[in-house]
Amino acid sequence: MFGGKMSSLGKKLIRRRVVDLSSEETRFARCLSTLDLIALGVGSTLGAGVYVLTGEVAKDTAGPSIILCFLLAALSSILAGLCYAEFGARVPKTGSAYLYSYVTVGEIWAFTTGWNLILSYVIGTASVARAWSAAFDNIIGNQISTFFMNKTALHLPGVLAERPDFFALILIALLTALLTFGVSESALVNKIFTAVNLLVLAFVFIAGCIKGDIKNWQLTVEDYINLTDSDDPEEVRIKSFGSGGFVPFKLEGVLMGAATCFYAFVGFDCIATTGEEARNPQRSIPIGIIVSLLICFVAYFGVSAALTLMVPYFLLNKESPLPEAFKAVGWEPARYAVAIGSLCALSTSLLGSMFPMPRVIYAMAEDGLLFKFLSRINSRTKTPLLATITSGMLAAVLAFLLDLKDLVDLMSIGTLLAYSLVAVCVLILRYQSEQLNSPKAMEMLELNGNEEERVVMNPNIAATGTKQKETLSFAALFSPSADTPTALSGRIVYVCASIMAALVTAICVVLTVGANALKEGSEVCILGLVVLLVALLIVTIIIWRQPQSNVRLNFKVPFLPLLPLCSIFVNILLMVQLSTGTWVRFAVWMAVGFLIYFGYGIRNSVEGKNAKELRSSRTENPLHHPGMELSPGAAAI
């Protein structure tokens, strides 16, 4: 009896979402163009980091080779972006990584992803609001902070901030009101701020080309001594100057800088939450993600090049690199343009954090995993009104009271976990025999498609002679006979993808925890790493040998399984770099989430209720409910 209950619980945890794509009807307003999505992605990704992060990384980590750091970081982000783009073409629905996980790997992983996305967006909104407040306060001579410091005092180190931030509270309230008015109004404001930000960054790049000096990429020890006018000991000189030239801190500096710069590209995933608000989501979402990442790379590349051309990297001011750089070349009034650009960047970044947050909450509430009242859509504005107000209030309270410095790293876990799961989902779904179908798609294929595509989209129409029982064998692993995915090949890929994720995690832990031992040539660590790499190679080859789906999509990730594997590796490697304290806070947040899920969500899941109704009626429709017969990891629409 106990075994039966555990089996029933296990089935509930891995049940997958059945999405109906037979109709394009939605409770949202379809009003966003491709340009709107690009502006949303650029605004959310190209935040104030471009005005601060470039100086910090260039001075302490990479020097002029910061442009290589941004190149590597952009390539890593594009790996995740490509995976999001394919799912945007497959499942043009609201929910982003949460929905993608739900239709592929099951309910518990979907809840974990969605719960962490909510955390990321809430903390991101609160921290950006505080940064906006601080930037504006700095422009007006710290009048706001001085006033409230004398009137109020709440400071509790590590928890409460030194003073309540009323300005951040008001700012979040205003943007929450803007989001409740409607998505088209929010998109218009975002486009205006993004355009101003890009114009300021273009001005910075042009100014750098005019006032810059290529010699600042070819500095020597003599230049360092002359420019700093100091007799620092060699240890101090190496720390601040390195070896000079274009790559002063060698390959290690480039890689460390790339890891830091990776977070500068976080934010494009908000585009994936617009599946039910874009006019043509299957085309606009892939284009929006890829184009916005390319624009952000060009912006980061241009600003970092201009900055290091204008000022020697070891003389950069980490707190305000661009204003000080313009001051050094005699263009001090340009600091006002930089101030305007940074406020616009913070505004779009804030809007980019607040826009997807209620949509993820809405998607989870609509599926019954969060409280149902959060899924209500306002009939006039076509926005998730209660989810928007609730999430805005939560972010406003955090921004008003808390010291967020210790919580910001939690954003990274949620984002990187989502990136990793989306890559795994793409890998699994591409090799399944049952694809994302709908009656409308099947009808179009019957009219226009060839026989091969009809069989791939619906294997039930295959000739009965091909329906022979498959058995697992060495040949099925490395030399399958079928040209199209089968139930067995789908199971093989599902299991291998799970093993791959575990192996990549183990490799990243060894590379991080045993880094010193590997440098010292520890035989045990080297042998363990080699064994893990060989096992990973074998699993990758097995997946590569399985037949892929030939279903047409507007966009597909190329070079499977290598690109998803690289994306998973980069994301997990960055996750294991986070501190122990961050993981403890993550565990506390997940404990709260699982209390909600096991106390409410698992019993109120819409998928669970649909499955019960299906069993009670003892009727089965293969087009609308094929999920009951799917191989592991397949998704049914």
Side-chain angles (χ1 to χ4, degrees), residues 123 127 130 155-163 397-408 585:
I123 295 177
S127 59
R130 271 194 165 267
H155 191 42
L156 181 61
V159 182
L160 296 180
E162 293 183 9
R163 59 179 178 82
V397 170
L398 288 179
F400 180 65
L401 294 175
L402 298 187
D403 183 359
L404 298 168
K405 292 178 183 176
D406 294 330
L407 298 179
V408 170
R585 297 182 191 99

Side-chain angles (χ1 to χ4, degrees), residues 142-220:
N142 299 319
Q143 297 291 325
I144 297 175
S145 57
T146 303
F147 175 80
F148 284 111
M149 192 69 75
N150 296 330
K151 301 292 183 181
T152 58
L154 294 172
H155 191 42
L156 181 61
V159 182
L160 296 180
E162 293 183 9
R163 59 179 178 82
D165 198 331
F166 288 94
F167 198 86
L169 176 72
I170 295 170
L171 184 62
I172 292 178
L174 289 174
L175 281 182
T176 301
L178 173 64
L179 288 170
T180 59
F181 280 131
V183 66
S184 58
E185 292 80 3
S186 305
L188 176 62
V189 172
N190 180 70
K191 279 192 289 190
I192 293 172
F193 282 136
T194 300
V196 174
N197 186 25
L198 289 176
L199 286 173
V200 171
L201 295 179
F203 165 74
V204 170
F205 176 67
I206 294 170
C209 293
I210 296 172
K211 302 295 291 185
D213 187 349
I214 196 65
K215 290 182 180 178
N216 287 328
W217 285 5
Q218 303 164 350
L219 298 170
T220 63

Side-chain angles (χ1 to χ4, degrees), residues 12 22 27 60 78 103 122 224 243 261 270 298 347 382 416 418 442 465 498 529 559 633:
K12 290 178 180 178
S22 59
R27 297 167 67 190
D60 293 340
I78 284 176
V103 300
V122 168
Y224 173 78
S243 60
C261 293
C270 68
V298 171
S347 300
K382 303 294 184 182
L416 294 171
M442 290 302 301
S498 304
L529 184 61
F559 308 119

Side-chain angles (χ1 to χ4, degrees), residues 394-523:
L394 178 58
V397 170
L398 288 179
F400 180 65
L401 294 175
L402 298 187
D403 183 359
L404 298 168
K405 292 178 183 176
D406 294 330
L407 298 179
V408 170
D409 278 347
L410 276 177
M411 293 170 53
S412 304
I413 289 185
T415 303
L416 294 171
L417 178 64
Y419 286 2
S420 302
L421 274 173
V422 170
V424 170
C425 292
V426 166
L427 191 60
I428 290 173
L429 198 54
R430 184 75 72 82
Y431 293 91
Q432 298 305 316
S433 57
E434 299 271 0
Q435 294 295 313
L436 305 182
N437 308 329
S438 69
K440 183 177 179 180
M442 290 302 301
E443 182 181 347
M444 292 301 294
L445 277 172
E446 289 296 332
L447 293 173
N448 305 317
N450 56 40
E451 182 66 23
E452 182 188 39
E453 283 185 319
R454 286 197 292 271
V455 172
V456 171
M457 285 290 284
N458 186 5
N460 293 307
I461 68 174
T464 56
T466 63
K467 295 182 180 178
Q468 53 187 350
K469 188 175 181 180
E470 298 175 295
T471 56
L472 182 63
S473 64
F474 185 84
L477 292 176
F478 293 98
S479 184
S481 57
D483 295 327
T484 56
T486 63
L488 177 62
S489 69
R491 291 191 182 94
I492 289 172
V493 172
Y494 187 87
V495 173
C496 286
S498 304
I499 295 172
M500 174 187 285
L503 289 172
V504 169
T505 302
I507 290 170
C508 291
V509 170
V510 170
L511 290 175
T512 302
V513 177
N516 292 330
L518 290 170
K519 288 180 181 178
E520 294 169 1
S522 171
E523 294 180 358

